[in-house]
Amino acid sequence: MLRTLLNEEIRFLAPIHLKMLGIWTVFGLVFLGVTFLNLPVLNVFGTLGGVISFGLAIPVVLIHTAVEYWQSMYGSRGYLTHAIPVRGRLLYAAKTLYAFAAGLVATCFTAVGLLVTAWVTARAQGIGLGELLQPVREMLDFFGTGWVIGFVVYMIVELACVIVCVSAIMSIGAQGRWNHLGFGAPVIGFVGLYLAAQVLSLLLLLIVPVSMGIPSGDIVNTWMLPDFIEAMRTGGDPTLLGLGFIAVWPLLAVALGTWGVRSIEHHTSLR
């Protein structure tokens, strides 16, 4: 049943999102054409326009997906959605899985678009491909391929966790006791989520006994708090970076995802 629900999400939303990406592609190519002319003023305008065109794909797709989640679950279309004889967790899983897939596609689209923008800008200025990729090679040499791959994996996991949290906040805010607030309840929830993430990040950064040495990059089994206090006392720089913050969004996703599913299955209130 999950596959059927996911297919319905794809059938309904994917064409809309592909059209969005197509529109951003047209805008981006037009701006890149302006950049390729290499005129003094228009060159900067074209490059900036290309970056904005390709960069907007991620927020536009994810915001539209979030709006569709709210409307299909708690708007007028929610009556049809909840008439489907499945548990709320399957509806939640199908919608968050599609949102994650759409976010990944939009991210890849943006990455490719920005690379093409950089390449066109470099060609217009007479810069070779090797010189263009030199900063990337230097970054790989400095951090190491393993760290870069780990960072990419972390960003993918964080994207999934953020989507789970945002969907859960909307479902929690749609409970009947907060009906009088309308969409204001999820907005308040988003603010609370941001504050909770910041506090939890700082807490885990300081007290989890796993840190990375600065600038060596070595992983050590010690916590950052004593080093942080010493740096504050002497006015120096910390020599450790706590890695506990990595667990913040997965922890929030587990907690809020469980709460969100419970809200869908036991406290759904349609507008």
Side-chain angles (χ1 to χ4, degrees), residues 4 8 25 46 48 53 109 121 155 166 169 179 194 202 207 211 235:
T4 301
E8 284 300 308
T25 300
L48 181 60
S53 297
F109 172 84
T121 303
M155 294 304 296
V166 170
I169 288 293
N179 254 351
Y194 172 78
L202 179 61
I207 67 172
S211 301

Side-chain angles (χ1 to χ4, degrees), residues 11-98:
R11 185 183 65 83
F12 181 71
L13 291 177
I16 299 174
H17 292 153
L18 289 176
K19 289 177 182 177
M20 289 181 177
L21 296 184
I23 292 172
W24 292 124
T25 300
V26 171
F27 276 108
L29 291 177
V30 170
F31 282 117
L32 292 183
V34 173
T35 300
F36 199 75
L37 296 176
N38 197 26
L39 298 176
V41 177
L42 294 181
N43 187 31
V44 177
F45 172 75
T47 300
L48 181 60
V51 170
I52 294 175
S53 297
F54 293 117
L56 281 177
I58 299 174
V60 168
V61 168
L62 290 180
I63 289 173
H64 178 262
T65 305
V67 171
E68 284 294 328
Y69 179 89
W70 178 262
Q71 292 180 346
S72 64
M73 291 286 282
Y74 306 107
S76 58
R77 287 157 46 202
Y79 293 94
L80 178 61
T81 300
H82 292 284
I84 302 173
V86 296
R87 300 188 69 179
R89 63 193 62 196
L90 288 179
L91 295 172
Y92 180 77
K95 292 181 179 297
T96 52
L97 281 173
Y98 174 80

Side-chain angles (χ1 to χ4, degrees), residues 143-212:
F143 290 103
T145 304
W147 276 107
V148 174
I149 294 175
F151 176 76
V152 172
V153 172
Y154 169 72
M155 294 304 296
I156 293 174
V157 172
E158 185 164 306
L159 172 64
C161 292
V162 170
I163 288 172
V164 168
C165 290
V166 170
S167 303
I169 288 293
M170 286 192 282
S171 292
I172 295 166
Q175 295 183 36
R177 53 182 165 174
W178 292 312
N179 254 351
H180 63 287
L181 294 174
F183 194 72
V187 171
I188 295 172
F190 295 149
V191 174
L193 174 63
Y194 172 78
L195 295 176
Q198 297 305 307
V199 172
L200 191 58
S201 294
L202 179 61
L203 183 64
L204 295 183
L205 179 77
L206 295 176
I207 67 172
V208 171
V210 180
S211 301
M212 179 178 69

